[in-house]
Amino acid sequence: MRPSLVIFDCDGVLVDSEPITNRLLREDLAARGLDLTLERIEEIFVGGTMATVFENARALGADLPDDWVDWFYEQMYAELAKGTPLIEGIEEVLDQLDAAGIPYAVGSNGSLRKMSITLGSHPALHARLKDALYSAHALGVAKPDPELYLKPARDAGIAPEACAVVDDSATGCTAGVRAGMRTMGFAEHNDGARLKAVGAEPFHRMADLPGLLGL
């Protein structure tokens, strides 16, 4: 059944920002006494907020100052502003949703400033999405809480069961499942087992999403 609304995560679903952020995070944590592989960084931190990164990294032994979150955001924003590539095939997905008359929104644990930087690298895409961006920083609640996906559905006047979520992290997919929405787990670089384990339907190529949504 076709959804009446599709809600996308941003990082790792619309923009390929996670490799940039993870590399920067790995380098900084290593300099502060916590030397983790990129794979371990992804496993522990992807899908959370920078506040939870701070808490978890400190618990694992990183020597982080109290103002680290704000400091790291500025380093991250500067790096992302150099240019953040799109996920291959995402513009074609939005084209097909437009052709089918299906609206879409974005629900991200990232800040609106971050989305304006990453999506802003692609003005045409940003223009399509800028009025439907939902941030955990603005709402005051983050995934895995389902509110970040329920709020756009309420604003659109569409029941959760008529919505589809597209997310690439177990945290985000958990939010989609808890919201009562069909949840598509984008597993571009892995087998999707962690996403399937929380109730998502894994897929591996963005080009396959329209068919999976019945477009």
Side-chain angles (χ1 to χ4, degrees):
M1 186 177 73
R2 287 187 175 191
S4 298
L5 173 70
V6 180
I7 312 171
F8 295 91
D9 178 38
C10 187
D11 298 298
V13 171
L14 300 177
V15 290
D16 199 15
S17 52
E18 288 174 351
I20 299 170
T21 301
N22 291 343
R23 175 183 52 78
L24 192 65
L25 183 60
R26 182 189 181 283
E27 291 171 356
D28 184 65
L29 292 182
R32 299 179 188 274
L34 182 60
D35 193 358
L36 301 172
T37 64
L38 280 172
E39 291 75 17
R40 187 69 172 142
I41 291 280
E42 292 172 7
E43 181 182 342
I44 299 174
F45 300 127
V46 168
T49 64
M50 205 52 65
T52 59
V53 170
F54 173 77
E55 293 169 3
N56 292 335
R58 256 195 175 177
L60 290 168
D63 183 18
L64 303 182
D66 291 341
D67 63 352
W68 180 85
V69 171
D70 290 339
W71 177 87
F72 188 81
Y73 270 128
E74 293 305 319
Q75 311 310 306
M76 178 179 66
Y77 292 152
E79 197 66 22
L80 292 171
K82 295 176 182 177
T84 308
L86 292 177
I87 293 295
E88 184 178 356
I90 192 60
E91 290 179 296
E92 290 77 12
V93 170
L94 299 185
D95 288 344
Q96 292 196 51
L97 289 171
D98 285 340
I102 297 172
Y104 40 84
V106 181
S108 174
N109 273 355
S111 66
L112 288 170
R113 181 180 171 190
K114 182 181 181 183
M115 286 189 274
S116 74
I117 291 170
T118 57
L119 296 171
S121 297
H122 311 277
L125 180 68
H126 191 210
R128 298 170 82 166
L129 298 168
K130 64 182 177 66
D131 294 326
L133 300 176
Y134 292 79
S135 164
H137 293 230
L139 289 180
V141 62
K143 307 171 199 176
D145 192 298
E147 179 62 17
L148 200 49
Y149 285 139
L150 290 170
K151 175 75 163 106
R154 284 199 306 274
D155 287 353
I158 296 172
E161 58 269 22
C163 299
V165 161
V166 185
D167 209 302
D168 69 316
S169 73
T171 301
C173 287
T174 297
V177 171
R178 288 179 178 174
M181 300 176 179
R182 183 183 181 192
T183 301
M184 312 301 297
F186 182 49
E188 186 177 24
H189 302 297
N190 58 71
D191 63 5
R194 294 182 70 228
L195 307 183
K196 185 175 182 178
V198 299
E201 303 171 40
F203 71 105
H204 306 284
R205 296 170 62 249
M206 196 56 71
D208 295 335
L209 182 61
L212 294 171
L213 294 177
L215 303 183

